[in-house]
Amino acid sequence: MTPRAPDDPLLDPTVPALLAKVGGYPQHHGGLGVVRTLGRAGVTVHAVVEDRLTPVALSHHLSRAFVRPTTGLERQDVLVGVLLDIGRSIGAPCVPVPTDDEAAILFAEHAEALSECFLLPRVDPGLPRLLAGKATLHALCEELGVAAPRTRVPGNRDELVDAGRELGFPVVLKNRDAWTRLRDPAVGGTTAVRDERGLLDRFAPGALPPLLVQEYIPREWAEDWITHLYCGTGGEPRVAFTGLKLRSWPPYAGVTTRAVALANPTLAKLAADLCRRIGYSGVADLDWRYDRRDELYKLVDFNPRAGAQFRLFETIDGVDVVRAMHLDLTGRDVPPGPQVDGRVFVAGQLDLPSVLAWLREEHRLPPALLPGPDTERAWLSREDPLPAAAEAVRFLGAVARRIGREVRARGTRSP
């Protein structure tokens, strides 16, 4: 079978889409991927942005940018009102694509009101919040018999020490719940801590912020896998993809900076069976860690929204999870077909520090260093160059500010 061209019009161009988000993260390549994949298919794409110079706002595939900066500290009824105002401005039923857990939760829990303007998956209103919460996900895994790393939820420093000693160092720290990561964050992101001193130094005496401590499966015994799915009503997968994470930043615990699409029928079945059992409908991004010691794939995260690296995956018909959602919610069939194996995803400048960290620890260059002919770049695109330029400016500005802070801090410590 000849693969369909990536910009072949599978989708209904009369139904627009909205890139939806809560909180400020203007340098997000996943949102740009949403705009590009739908825009290339002829869909009119709108986006919620922090300002008009964000990379997404400068994409020529974007029809309209709605400048609506939010923090996640707003009341949910206020955020619902913002989305309804945007939906009414668009003026036609619209497919929203959330790129963070909070936006996905908002659409699920307020589906009745938001359905005035938006076409939404039929999902239990409380399910996205349960899946996005690290502690509630772990409890669900225990209930359903799904393998997962050992996990503790400490409430104070004594329990934190006990968790570290019980799980063994290093341990992984995560924000426990979706909304609290914005309102009362325990850590800036998924963080590996090497020893007890480092663990205690992170938190002041007294009650802890909402925190989860998770077992770290040693990397010499582990492989990091990802599954991306779109499930229709009742949790039936319309498309399901699997891939291997090659590098991340921060190393071994952060966002994917390089990954390769590899068919893994065992893992695809695990993810599909889980979605059927819980009746999940919508786009999902699941992280797994394969533990060679007991030969189990252990579920690390279930993100009930489009993952930042979703463009790694396509079927031979050019369907990714975002296109599958648009097809399904507009009443069109999602063409069945296997995934394209061997595609590589690279997250631009974030891959450079991950390479340097690998080189420092391993004393050799990492595998899959150079981009191949079937590489999906998070930012660079010949036909859409401005987002990459805007990202480079913001990235260099962030580096300069960080260096400036470090120089000033050293100056204040000098005698």
Side-chain angles (χ1 to χ4, degrees):
M1 177 183 288
T2 302
R4 186 183 296 272
D7 57 354
D8 216 355
L10 278 168
L11 282 64
D12 185 347
T14 67
V15 180
L18 175 71
L19 171 66
K21 63 194 304 184
V22 174
Y25 50 102
Q27 294 167 266
H28 187 252
H29 51 265
L32 180 61
V34 170
V35 171
R36 283 174 172 170
T37 192
L38 294 176
R40 287 167 179 161
V43 173
T44 300
V45 190
H46 309 273
V48 177
V49 298
E50 293 83 353
D51 62 69
R52 296 197 180 278
L53 295 179
T54 63
V56 162
L58 297 175
S59 172
H60 83 79
H61 292 292
L62 189 70
S63 175
R64 182 176 178 186
F66 290 90
V67 180
R68 301 291 192 275
T70 58
T71 63
L73 303 180
E74 300 86 356
R75 297 195 320 271
Q76 289 201 17
D77 63 307
V78 173
L79 294 172
V80 170
V82 169
L83 289 171
L84 286 174
D85 285 344
I86 291 172
R88 291 163 184 157
S89 295
I90 292 172
C94 179
V95 173
V97 185
T99 54
D100 54 72
D101 295 339
E102 290 77 16
I105 291 169
L106 200 67
F107 278 107
E109 294 183 348
H110 299 273
E112 184 175 355
L114 290 169
S115 62
E116 173 194 333
C117 299
F118 299 102
L119 304 175
L120 302 172
R122 294 182 180 178
V123 65
D124 183 290
L127 189 56
R129 184 184 290 267
L130 182 150
L131 296 170
K134 309 307 180 187
T136 48
L137 175 63
H138 187 263
L140 180 66
C141 288
E142 289 187 325
E143 177 186 338
L144 298 179
V146 175
R150 292 178 296 149
T151 295
R152 298 294 178 266
V153 185
N156 54 52
R157 283 168 68 88
D158 288 341
E159 293 178 359
L160 180 63
V161 169
D162 289 343
R165 292 175 179 175
E166 180 183 353
L167 298 177
F169 289 95
V171 293
V172 176
L173 306 183
K174 298 180 179 180
N175 291 299
R176 192 186 66 202
D177 307 304
W179 290 96
T180 58
R181 76 179 182 93
L182 299 176
R183 297 170 177 169
D184 186 20
V187 288
T190 301
T191 303
V193 178
R194 295 181 179 275
D195 53 41
E196 188 171 300
R197 184 71 267 157
L199 187 63
L200 291 174
D201 286 346
R202 289 183 168 272
F203 304 102
L208 296 174
L211 173 71
L212 179 133
V213 183
Q214 196 168 70
E215 168 193 16
Y216 179 82
I217 301 169
R219 58 189 178 90
E220 60 267 24
W221 295 103
E223 293 176 356
D224 288 317
W225 286 82
I226 47 181
T227 54
H228 286 217
L229 306 90
Y230 173 74
C231 299
T233 301
E236 188 61 33
R238 300 289 192 264
V239 290
F241 303 101
T242 59
L244 182 64
K245 184 186 292 191
L246 301 175
R247 288 193 291 277
S248 60
W249 183 255
Y252 319 117
V255 299
T256 301
T257 63
R258 185 176 289 253
V260 59
L262 289 176
N264 184 329
T266 299
L267 186 57
K269 185 177 187 304
L270 280 174
D273 287 348
L274 173 59
C275 290
R276 289 190 189 97
R277 292 175 70 185
I278 62 178
Y280 178 77
S281 179
V283 175
D285 166 19
L286 283 67
D287 291 332
W288 305 79
R289 199 157 172 91
Y290 179 67
D291 190 340
R292 296 191 189 95
R293 297 171 302 182
D294 53 18
E295 299 183 336
L296 291 175
Y297 290 96
K298 297 179 179 179
L299 182 59
V300 176
D301 288 312
F302 190 123
N303 303 301
R305 40 77 178 171
Q309 71 278 10
F310 81 92
R311 281 295 302 143
L312 168 64
F313 301 112
E314 284 185 349
T315 69
I316 60 173
D317 292 299
V319 177
D320 56 33
V321 292
V322 170
R323 289 185 173 192
M325 180 169 69
H326 194 282
L327 287 166
D328 190 51
L329 294 180
T330 56
R332 295 192 168 198
D333 292 332
V334 179
Q339 73 176 49
V340 178
D341 272 356
R343 282 172 57 84
V344 174
F345 178 86
V346 182
Q349 76 285 350
L350 288 179
D351 197 39
L352 177 59
S354 69
V355 169
L356 295 177
W358 177 288
L359 183 61
R360 184 176 62 250
E361 293 192 17
E362 301 290 336
H363 306 291
R364 60 186 176 91
L365 289 174
L369 184 61
L370 299 176
D374 201 5
T375 297
E376 179 78 19
R377 293 173 174 84
W379 295 105
L380 290 175
S381 171
R382 289 183 180 179
E383 42 84 27
D384 191 27
L386 285 181
E391 161 59 13
V393 170
R394 286 179 181 255
F395 179 75
L396 292 174
V399 171
R401 288 190 295 272
R402 180 170 180 175
I403 293 173
R405 287 194 300 268
E406 291 177 353
V407 169
R408 288 191 295 271
R410 283 197 297 269
T412 59
R413 291 195 296 267
S414 299

